[in-house]
Amino acid sequence: MFDITKVRAAGGRDLLTPENSVMLFVDHQPQMFFGVGSGDRAAIINSTVGLAKAARAFDVPAVLTTVAAASFSGPLLPQLAAVFPEQGAIDRTSVNAWEDEALVEAVKATGRKKVILSGLWTEVCLVLPALSMGSGEVTRYLGTYGSERIAKAVMIGVVPPFLLKTEDNPGGVDAGVFRGIEEAIRADRFAFLTAFLADFYNVDVLGGERISEEAVRASWNVAAGASAKGTLDCVQAWLTDFRADCPASTSPP
């Protein structure tokens, strides 16, 4: 039976503290502001700078990153750079910040295990690195970096580690299915994305109730922004064999 007299104040081990956290500022650049319509630009800048100054005040290390600064997106927000005058931004070409080795190594070098993300585009600047850090790709992370920095790992309803049907994977998907996807992308990738997302979200059943037309359109806009080559490369990425990563998942469930 629960006894209220035995309740004691105690901090949880999962709480953020100045000692276990690192700030990652992702792509605060002029070009990125053009896609932000959910808030006043001055307010967003003030909030970002306030977050940076708070990190500075509490001695929380920060990593700054930009994407294609010279050719497309422009320099790091000057007000943000001014908070960390002794360090530059790590410039990348990858859309997903966590695909850049220099950035990953910079975060690891801080020795902190909890990453606080700040970015302008939630669906790109925040979601992609957050997934790649261990949520959507937890098995890949464990297989590459081990489980030293992982307290627990839970995988629910995950994609199999290998999708292609082969002699040693008879339950996989026939190679013809993937060839068909590639042919559809080459023929008209925008039409393919429309059909793909309709199936992905089960629009014929859930449309208008669980998923809005606007939400589907937003996903289409993100997917359509990828290059033709990048879209095709996604199909080949689905065929990657991750089975060797599974034995490396030694974290407790």
Side-chain angles (χ1 to χ4, degrees):
M1 180 178 293
F2 177 73
D3 186 352
I4 190 64
T5 63
K6 295 182 178 179
V7 175
R8 298 289 183 271
R13 69 175 184 175
D14 292 327
L15 296 178
L16 295 173
T17 70
E19 293 74 32
N20 67 15
S21 304
V22 54
M23 278 296 319
L24 176 55
F25 290 93
V26 181
D27 305 347
H28 292 76
Q29 299 166 264
Q31 185 67 29
M32 299 305 163
F33 274 105
F34 288 115
V36 178
S38 59
D40 175 75
R41 184 171 299 187
I44 294 172
I45 292 174
N46 289 338
S47 297
T48 301
V49 172
L51 182 61
K53 288 183 176 179
R56 191 89 194 198
F58 286 97
D59 292 324
V60 175
V63 176
L64 314 173
T65 182
T66 55
V67 60
S71 61
F72 178 71
S73 301
L76 184 70
L77 185 69
Q79 297 93 321
L80 176 58
V83 181
F84 306 101
E86 73 287 352
Q87 66 184 88
I90 299 172
D91 194 47
R92 324 178 318 277
T93 56
S94 61
V95 174
N96 181 357
W98 204 248
E99 291 180 353
D100 186 85
E101 273 191 46
L103 185 143
V104 173
E105 291 303 318
V107 172
K108 289 171 61 178
T110 67
R112 310 301 176 88
K113 296 185 177 182
K114 296 187 180 296
V115 181
I116 304 171
L117 285 161
S118 173
L120 296 176
W121 293 10
T122 301
E123 69 274 22
V124 179
C125 301
L126 302 183
V127 170
L128 293 182
L131 288 174
S132 297
M133 283 177 192
S135 298
E137 300 178 357
V138 61
T139 307
R140 171 90 296 206
Y141 181 95
L142 290 168
T144 304
Y145 301 109
S147 58
E148 181 181 354
R149 294 164 56 88
I150 304 297
K152 293 182 179 180
V154 179
M155 289 173 277
I156 302 174
V158 295
V159 175
F162 186 43
L163 294 177
L164 186 63
K165 182 177 181 179
T166 59
E167 289 185 3
D168 62 345
N169 188 40
V173 180
D174 190 82
V177 173
F178 298 103
R179 286 196 297 270
I181 293 174
E182 290 178 327
E183 290 170 2
I185 292 172
R186 288 191 178 96
D188 186 339
R189 77 177 190 277
F190 301 118
F192 165 79
L193 292 173
T194 298
F196 176 84
L197 290 170
D199 290 338
F200 182 83
Y201 286 120
N202 202 10
V203 170
D204 59 335
V205 176
L206 304 179
E209 296 182 5
R210 297 282 298 279
I211 183 73
S212 67
E213 180 182 344
E214 291 76 12
V216 177
R217 190 184 308 124
S219 294
W220 187 94
N221 289 339
V222 172
S227 68
K229 181 180 184 302
T231 306
L232 271 174
D233 286 348
C234 284
V235 182
Q236 288 302 311
W238 291 341
L239 305 183
T240 306
D241 189 348
F242 292 114
R243 288 177 292 183
D245 288 335
C246 295
S249 301
T250 57
S251 292

